[in-house]
Structure formats: C-alpha cells, structure tokens
Amino acid sequence: MRRADRLFQLVQLVRGRRLTTAEFIAERLEVSARTVYRDVADLQLQGVPIEGEAGVGYRMRAGFDLPPLMFTGEEAQALVAAVRIAQPRIDAALAARADAALSKILSVLPSAARAAAESLALYAPTFEFDPRARSHLELLRLAAESRRRVELQYVDLKEVSTERTVRPLGCFYWGAVWTLAAWCETRESFRSFRVDRIRELIVTDTAFRDEPGKTLADLFRHNEAAAEAHRNANAA
C-alpha cells in the first residue's frame, strides 16, 4: 500500500470510531504500531486534528471532513453486489434509499470503474416478500431505532394467536424469513417473532430505555451462553 493511501485509510479509521488504538490501526493496515505512531505524528503536523497519544488511543476532533471518497472498481462492484442482494429483501423505504445512494456513488466514479461495477455478473433473483410483512418490517425497524414499544398480534407455527407488548431490539434476516428480536413485556423474557406471522402491529407513543438484562447486547450474551452450554453438553 502506498504511504498516501495508508494515511488516508488511517484517517478513515480514526474518524469512524470514538477512540481508536494504535494496535487496532496497525492490525487493519498491516503495519507496526511504531509506523502508526509516526504516521499520526506526520498527520498532526500537516494540520489533521487527530487528538490522543500513543498507548491511549486517538480520536478525530469534531468538524473535520475530507474530500469526497473515491472508490476502486472492486469496491464499487462490492457495493453493487450488496445493493442487488439486499434490495428485494429489505423494506421498501430502505431499498429506495439504497438505490439512491448507489446511484450517487456510481455517478462520481471514473467511466471505466462505473462500467465495471454496472456490468457485475452477480444477480439476486426477486424475493417473494409478502407486502404486509415488508410493511411490518419497516415499522419494526423504525420502532427499534426510536425505542418505541410495539403492540402486536402474533400467530405462531401452531396457529395459536397471542397479543404481546414488546420492546423491539433488532430485525434479523435468516435467508428465508425475517425475525424480530425483542424483550417481551408480556412474558418478561427475550422472544423472537417471525415478521411474516405478525398479523397486526401498532407502534405506540410509549418510549423505553435500555435496562440491564433487557438490551440487545444482553440478548447476544444470553444466546452465546446457551450455545456454549449446548456445545459443552454435546462434548460431554
């Protein structure tokens, strides 16, 4: 990697995180920590407002910006692939924004890179996405982002219908279906709901705050502990 490219990537790593250690930067750029210290010092001398010190970490002072990014042909192809795969499988509003963002990126690429990206021989067949489920996915995504409780009518695989009040934590795609991960206030535990089996939902005006034991991070830890217990049981 050319030094100019390395310095550019270093700036991107620092500005994309609250605090970035030299060890993290060195691993990502495949250089030594000593090289990172030297590069940061050079950038600071050039007026790039990187704050921090060796052994602690670095951050970018607020308000700093760079000229528009330029993607390589391979990076542009990766973006085209990601959008083609995602568009039929996400909610309509997000799909439209993905298409708009990709158009903006392609419009500023050199003609050769743009042609290579647009001619990428990778396609995603149309995904049969039930319109109601797709609409519900958007509402659940927005509710999770805004921390709003959701009331829903859910029909499980045994065709048993229940009504729940949940704290939506995140939506997950499993290759065939979307599920909602949530803290269920009705059952007082984590629950997973298939989006295509939600019959009705209402995003309420009632906000919720993250509480210990009820967050997405807690759910990940809970699932990891369950998986570890399962592995230990099989190994016994």
Side-chain angles (χ1 to χ4, degrees):
M1 181 187 298
R2 295 183 309 162
R3 185 166 187 270
D5 294 333
R6 187 176 74 240
L7 293 177
F8 181 81
Q9 292 298 326
L10 191 157
V11 170
Q12 294 303 315
L13 290 172
V14 174
R15 73 196 291 249
R17 298 164 60 88
R18 291 184 178 179
L19 190 68
T20 309
T21 64
E23 289 73 19
F24 174 83
I25 297 171
E27 181 180 352
R28 293 293 297 272
L29 299 182
E30 299 181 347
V31 297
S32 67
R34 184 181 297 274
T35 297
V36 173
Y37 299 148
R38 185 173 62 249
D39 287 348
V40 169
D42 288 346
L43 287 168
Q44 289 172 329
L45 288 173
Q46 294 172 31
V48 179
I50 296 178
E51 300 175 335
E53 59 183 278
V56 178
Y58 301 103
R59 66 181 179 183
M60 190 70 67
R61 191 184 310 151
F64 178 73
D65 203 0
L66 287 172
L69 298 178
M70 183 55 65
F71 295 94
T72 66
E74 292 78 10
E75 290 170 338
Q77 285 185 323
L79 290 171
V80 169
V83 171
R84 286 181 182 175
I85 293 170
Q87 271 188 311
R89 294 162 173 81
I90 56 180
D91 62 73
L94 206 56
R97 294 184 191 125
D99 186 61
L102 182 61
S103 296
K104 290 179 181 178
I105 292 170
L106 293 178
S107 68
V108 299
L109 289 177
S111 57
R114 182 169 64 251
E118 293 176 335
S119 62
L120 176 67
L122 189 153
Y123 303 92
T126 300
F127 181 66
E128 188 174 344
F129 204 158
D130 176 70
R132 179 174 61 180
R134 195 171 200 182
S135 175
H136 285 172
L137 178 62
E138 179 180 356
L139 293 173
L140 293 169
R141 173 176 62 82
L142 295 174
E145 292 171 359
S146 61
R147 294 291 195 272
R148 299 288 177 179
R149 286 180 173 84
V150 172
E151 296 176 355
L152 55 85
Q153 179 186 357
Y154 185 73
V155 178
D156 64 19
L157 294 176
K158 296 180 180 179
E159 300 301 324
V160 176
S161 177
T162 57
E163 294 183 356
R164 309 290 187 95
T165 298
V166 304
R167 301 181 182 191
L169 302 176
C171 299
F172 295 80
Y173 183 63
W174 300 95
V177 297
W178 279 95
T179 61
L180 167 70
W183 173 262
C184 179
E185 297 191 341
T186 307
R187 297 289 189 266
E188 281 295 311
S189 62
F190 292 113
R191 286 292 190 271
S192 180
F193 303 94
R194 278 182 48 163
V195 175
D196 62 336
R197 300 196 70 83
I198 296 175
R199 295 297 179 257
E200 302 289 341
L201 73 82
I202 298 174
V203 179
T204 73
D205 292 329
T206 307
F208 65 88
R209 295 181 178 179
D210 288 341
E211 297 180 33
K214 300 180 182 181
T215 68
L216 186 60
D218 292 318
L219 173 59
F220 287 152
R221 285 191 286 268
H222 172 80
N223 289 343
E224 180 57 33
E228 181 65 23
H230 180 72
R231 288 192 292 267
N232 292 338
N234 288 338

